[in-house]
Amino acid sequence: MQIIIAGAGKIGAHLASQLCADGETVTVIEQRADAVERLRRTCPDCTIIEDSAANPRALERAGIHMADVMAAVTGKDEVNLVIAMLAKMEFSVPRVVARVNDPANAWMFTPANGVDAGVNQAEILTRFIREGMSLRDMFTLMKLGRDEHSIVQATVKPGSRVDGMPLSNIEFPEQTIVVAVDRAGSLSVPNGRTVLRAGDEAVLFCSREGKDGIRRLFA
């Protein structure tokens, strides 16, 4: 994948380093000389464009016509929105992700403004707190679609209803699929004969309504 990152602050630099380590082609646009110098030291494999990412010419120099993903992660929401709109509406980038710095501005980070995914750190933290309190050992790994389907991870508690039972005998909520089982660090794709044991980590696909039922089974 060809990925362009706008902003080489702590988030942008970390993102660039991780993606380069994964073998992705990464170009970072940053106009601050000190941030550029730090990025050259920490991520020598990425390409750096010293300019403002809100400048269409800088985006063109970064190869935006060929980009698969544009990530606007500067520290200013208004700049991230401008970059997102340029990327999506002017250059038709398939996937545009933008950082939300001020939660009060989250309502603007929508597809109508060129943002496919707005990363609101405050909202993410709130979800972890809420789910950690209400679901205990079940955590949402990923949301899928507008109808609130999710991929969740649940721990089999000793003496729970699923402890010692094969999957084929467990009455899961509707629209629930067990995708994988992690036992002591060994990940396997289960079938109906797979028996769940205390301490197993199960990864499940489920609906929003099914979460509570899964929690009751595994608790």
Side-chain angles (χ1 to χ4, degrees), residues 148-213:
E148 295 293 324
H149 282 77
S150 304
I151 296 177
V152 302
Q153 177 177 309
T155 303
V156 179
K157 286 292 187 180
S160 64
R161 291 165 64 183
V162 299
D163 185 10
M165 289 185 66
L167 292 179
S168 60
N169 291 353
I170 300 172
E171 295 186 9
F172 287 106
E174 291 186 5
Q175 301 183 51
T176 298
I177 300 172
V178 182
V179 179
V181 175
D182 185 341
R183 178 170 296 160
S186 178
L187 193 67
S188 64
V189 178
N191 55 43
R193 298 186 301 276
T194 301
V195 177
L196 294 179
R197 305 293 185 190
D200 286 352
E201 299 281 352
V203 179
L204 309 96
F205 172 85
C206 67
S207 66
R208 177 175 56 186
E209 295 77 12
K211 283 187 177 181
D212 285 339

Side-chain angles (χ1 to χ4, degrees), residues 79-97:
V79 174
N80 291 339
L81 278 173
V82 169
I83 295 166
M85 285 189 283
L86 282 171
K88 180 63 71 175
M89 300 173 186
E90 184 69 23
F91 299 106
S92 300
V93 176
R95 183 73 171 166
V96 178
V97 179

Side-chain angles (χ1 to χ4, degrees), residues 3-69:
I3 302 167
I4 299 176
I5 299 172
K10 291 181 179 179
I11 290 177
H14 180 75
L15 184 60
S17 296
Q18 292 295 309
L19 291 170
C20 282
D22 290 340
E24 308 294 355
T25 301
V26 178
T27 300
V28 180
I29 307 175
E30 175 59 66
Q31 61 182 347
R32 296 171 299 163
D34 56 337
V36 168
E37 186 58 34
R38 284 196 301 270
L39 186 62
R40 285 197 174 117
R41 293 195 302 267
T42 59
C43 188
D45 293 330
C46 72
T47 300
I48 303 173
I49 304 295
E50 295 186 56
D51 205 335
S52 168
N55 180 353
R57 291 185 178 178
L59 293 172
E60 290 177 340
R61 287 172 56 204
I64 196 163
H65 290 292
M66 302 294 293
D68 299 297
V69 180

